Amino acid sequence: MNQSVKGVLQRLQKKHDFAIVALTGMINNRGNSTFKWKYVLGSDSQRWKRMELRKGTGLPGVVLKTGKSLVVQDVSKIYNPEELFRFPILYFENIQGFVAIPIWNNDEVVMGLVVLGDRAPRHISEAEYEALKADVEKDLRIELLKELMLYENT
Amino acid sequence: MKTHDLTSLLEAMFHQSKEMILFVDRHGEIVYMNAEAEKTLDLSDYDRNQFINICGHCMGMAASGDPDCTTCFLMSKEKLTFQVYMRTRYGKRVTYIANFQQIDPENNISVFTLNPLSELMKQQEFEHQKLLTQRIIQAQENERKRISRDLHDGVTQELLNVLLEMRLFKYTKDREELDEKIEDSEEMLSHLLDYIRNISVELRPASLDDLGVEAALKTHFKWLQKQYGILVDFNTNLNKKRYRPEIETVIYRIIQEAAFNAVKYSGSDEIMVNLKEAGSYNGIEIHFEIEDEGAGFLMGAEPKGSGLGLFGMHERISSVDGELNIDSEPGRGTKVEGYIPVGERIV
């Protein structure tokens, strides 16, 4: 079943033409306050596997806090290099433009976060974003919920 | 315009000027020189013959490194702002910024003016210092901004959440619902505790004072791995030994800075850190080495960041009479190494 979440990510990456796609592991409200990146497609480094994410910090922190998507077309215009270092995934993967979308479970709690990025600034139109968001809702969210149910039953 | 005699003004300038002014002919014979030149280029050390020719004082031009006479200024009609070495009355070699200009073509007389370079350097040093101070203030301001943002975004926000949640307690009649709310608040508070602990460790780890530099570094490297996914291969023989607090702080901060630089700029996934105590003929020394096999950089090139990091490292090491050496080459990686004499351990 992991294969299918990965499969959805691959489809998203291809369809919307992003160089890099990153998905966090399941974020629980109870228990652990840290989580990790579960899949990063298109990375040429192993760093993300060791990174531990924290609810209040980094790019996931920003998205989790607001519960809203974040669209940045040109990273260098928003963050200077020093600030960028606070977002290791952007810094190390050299992401210059990206969309970060929170994924909600049925209890209206954010259970994860997907980031789709490019290594060059990227213009993302309203229509493009809506299409992407719809795909995340329709495919990725459903697939993740399935996975969640499987975990709960074991 | 007031009626002043130009000649007398020029004369006054010539005699009172703080720069050396000499008039020479085409062979370099000194026709006239002002008081400053006479004071600086004293004749007592030389015989008269030497004194009357500029070449008796000049030690050559300093275009690149060694004094050189191959392109002597005497051969040109005009030469502006060049460096020249002169022998002064104490036999010392001093660098000057000079101008040479022919003013009387008929008699082939030129004027040669000299300003001590050290004065110019002082000015440059001052400007440099000013720039550095500005940068330090800027860095300080950025750091405060960061801490303030951490406190505001993290701590204040979370506390507010807990507060709101707790206000609801008294309106919650259902016991089970209340229990859930209490549990939620508990969870939030424990996250908050974690968060604050993180901020405080990032600022200055308490373990540095309580347990020493080795323990503090171990914690820091673990944090680096979690935060940035970097592996640190840490080798040490310190074995929980303790040193004077200022020495431990210097070691910690320098290694922290060098490791940060490796994380930021090397692109390498792994950093090697060695920290060793060694005996030498004048007591105990601590040797350290931070090395990566990443991108490296061109020594002496414009720094990628503010440049304050390296500056700070040098400042810190000189405050404890240690030495620091940085070796890097594009494509081969970077090695920062140094040692600090520690005098004695603290038991």
Side-chain angles (χ1 to χ4, degrees):
Chain A
M1 47 83 196
N2 271 352
Q3 219 40 49
S4 51
V5 171
K6 201 175 177 184
V8 173
L9 290 175
Q10 279 166 341
R11 277 207 300 283
L12 281 175
Q13 183 183 25
K14 206 167 170 199
K15 183 176 167 193
H16 298 275
D17 187 30
F18 280 98
I20 188 160
V21 177
L23 176 75
T24 63
M26 219 57 86
I27 302 167
N28 292 322
N29 234 2
R30 305 218 180 279
N32 257 341
S33 62
T34 62
F35 51 101
K36 289 191 160 199
W37 293 107
K38 189 158 190 196
Y39 296 110
V40 178
L41 309 182
S43 166
D44 39 19
S45 132
Q46 302 292 308
R47 290 185 182 187
W48 59 269
K49 286 189 181 164
R50 291 187 286 262
M51 283 181 203
E52 237 170 56
L53 307 165
R54 206 165 271 282
K55 274 185 180 161
T57 62
L59 183 59
V62 174
V63 177
L64 251 63
K65 217 172 273 171
T66 58
K68 291 199 170 113
S69 296
L70 185 63
V71 181
V72 174
Q73 311 199 57
D74 187 348
V75 169
S76 65
K77 277 193 184 146
I78 308 277
Y79 307 114
N80 67 38
E82 205 56 39
E83 283 174 321
L84 196 59
F85 200 55
R86 294 162 69 87
F87 307 110
I89 193 79
L90 301 182
Y91 187 94
F92 291 130
E93 298 293 345
N94 190 23
I95 294 175
Q96 299 291 323
F98 68 90
V99 182
I101 304 174
I103 304 164
W104 299 74
N105 68 13
N106 290 334
D107 298 329
E108 295 184 5
V109 176
V110 178
M111 62 173 169
L113 154 83
V114 64
V115 181
L116 300 106
D118 256 350
R119 294 198 168 89
R122 165 156 175 162
H123 177 74
I124 296 151
S125 70
E126 196 94 358
E128 249 180 305
Y129 166 69
E130 288 302 333
L132 185 60
K133 196 170 181 212
D135 280 348
V136 169
E137 285 284 309
K138 198 170 80 236
D139 296 336
L140 191 59
R141 192 177 99 91
I142 302 301
E143 211 56 58
L144 278 173
L145 283 174
K146 267 195 223 161
E147 192 176 283
L148 195 63
M149 275 159 65
L150 269 167
Y151 269 121
E152 272 178 359
N153 291 338
T154 49
Chain B
M1 200 159 77
K2 291 229 174 100
T3 46
H4 271 296
D5 185 11
L6 178 62
T7 321
S8 71
L9 283 176
L10 281 176
E11 226 169 88
M13 180 190 109
F14 176 74
H15 288 303
Q16 284 164 35
S17 175
K18 286 292 166 211
E19 62 180 3
M20 290 199 265
I21 304 172
L22 302 106
F23 293 101
V24 296
D25 71 8
R26 106 188 117 99
H27 303 295
E29 302 264 304
I30 298 170
V31 184
Y32 269 114
M33 67 172 124
N34 69 349
E36 185 66 24
E38 260 175 71
K39 201 172 82 191
T40 315
L41 313 170
D42 195 64
L43 99 153
S44 55
D45 285 354
Y46 307 101
D47 61 49
R48 189 70 199 160
N49 282 340
Q50 251 182 343
F51 191 66
I52 55 169
N53 198 296
I54 191 72
C55 294
H57 305 285
C58 180
M59 302 179 77
M61 279 166 26
S64 54
D66 287 332
D68 178 36
C69 281
T70 47
T71 54
C72 182
F73 52 87
L74 284 175
M75 310 214 256
S76 53
K77 283 205 166 98
E78 188 178 284
K79 197 165 175 70
L80 299 174
T81 0
F82 56 99
Q83 278 188 40
V84 66
Y85 292 119
M86 301 299 279
R87 202 197 326 260
T88 63
R89 62 192 302 175
Y90 304 110
K92 267 205 315 202
R93 189 173 86 178
V94 179
T95 321
Y96 288 90
I97 296 291
N99 283 307
F100 185 79
Q101 211 179 351
Q102 198 179 60
I103 49 169
D104 180 1
E106 225 169 278
N107 299 310
N108 230 323
I109 302 288
S110 303
V111 62
F112 186 40
T113 56
L114 295 146
N115 278 303
L117 183 65
S118 57
E119 285 299 315
L120 212 74
M121 294 282 269
K122 260 184 221 154
Q123 185 62 27
Q124 273 178 353
E125 186 93 342
F126 176 70
E127 292 291 328
H128 182 69
Q129 203 62 40
K130 221 164 77 182
L131 199 73
L132 212 58
T133 312
Q134 276 170 7
R135 282 202 196 156
I136 290 170
I137 290 172
Q138 187 62 44
Q140 199 178 42
E141 225 36 64
N142 284 344
E143 181 72 359
R144 284 185 183 189
K145 202 162 93 186
R146 192 181 67 78
I147 299 167
S148 145
R149 198 161 44 188
D150 272 351
L151 289 176
H152 178 266
D153 294 5
V155 180
T156 321
Q157 218 84 306
E158 291 284 314
L159 268 179
L160 202 63
N161 278 348
V162 182
L163 190 66
L164 288 177
E165 195 80 0
M166 286 175 89
R167 272 187 190 149
L168 289 175
F169 285 0
K170 49 181 174 276
Y171 305 112
T172 313
K173 298 284 178 250
D174 184 50
R175 180 69 218 189
E176 227 169 82
E177 206 181 320
L178 183 63
D179 280 350
E180 209 168 289
K181 280 205 188 321
I182 292 174
E183 217 172 293
D184 277 348
S185 305
E186 226 183 285
E187 192 69 35
M188 281 188 221
L189 279 176
S190 109
H191 280 175
L192 189 59
L193 199 64
D194 227 38
Y195 190 85
I196 295 175
R197 208 174 275 144
N198 246 301
I199 295 179
S200 125
V201 169
E202 257 182 78
L203 286 175
R204 186 188 159 86
S207 58
L208 186 54
D209 300 315
D210 299 342
L211 302 167
V213 65
E214 182 187 0
L217 280 172
K218 273 188 183 153
T219 314
H220 180 67
F221 294 149
K222 213 179 280 170
W223 180 83
L224 268 187
Q225 181 173 331
K226 283 182 184 171
Q227 190 74 7
Y228 304 111
I230 302 288
L231 287 174
V232 181
D233 182 10
F234 183 37
N235 285 302
T236 177
N237 69 354
L238 251 45
N239 209 6
K240 297 188 184 128
K241 288 191 204 75
R242 300 298 308 267
Y243 308 92
R244 292 204 312 276
E246 69 270 22
I247 286 180
E248 293 193 326
T249 304
V250 168
I251 297 170
Y252 181 79
R253 290 300 183 201
I254 286 179
I255 293 182
Q256 184 185 38
E257 180 66 30
F260 251 134
N261 286 341
V263 170
K264 275 189 190 171
Y265 306 121
S266 79
S268 165
D269 278 5
E270 205 176 335
I271 306 169
M272 278 77 73
V273 177
N274 282 316
L275 180 63
K276 300 269 157 78
E277 185 194 278
S280 82
Y281 57 90
N282 43 7
I284 301 169
E285 282 174 357
I286 291 194
H287 291 252
F288 56 86
E289 236 176 55
I290 305 97
E291 194 176 1
D292 70 71
E293 290 172 355
F297 60 92
L298 210 58
M299 301 285 292
E302 192 69 12
K304 262 192 178 173
S306 63
L308 279 180
L310 288 189
F311 173 76
M313 277 159 71
H314 282 291
E315 288 288 290
R316 278 182 199 275
I317 196 102
S318 62
S319 76
V320 291
D321 302 319
E323 233 170 85
L324 186 75
N325 186 41
I326 298 165
D327 185 24
S328 187
E329 202 179 291
R332 219 202 49 199
T334 304
K335 186 171 173 181
V336 176
E337 58 184 333
Y339 73 90
I340 298 171
V342 295
E344 61 199 82
R345 263 179 239 135
I346 292 174
V347 188

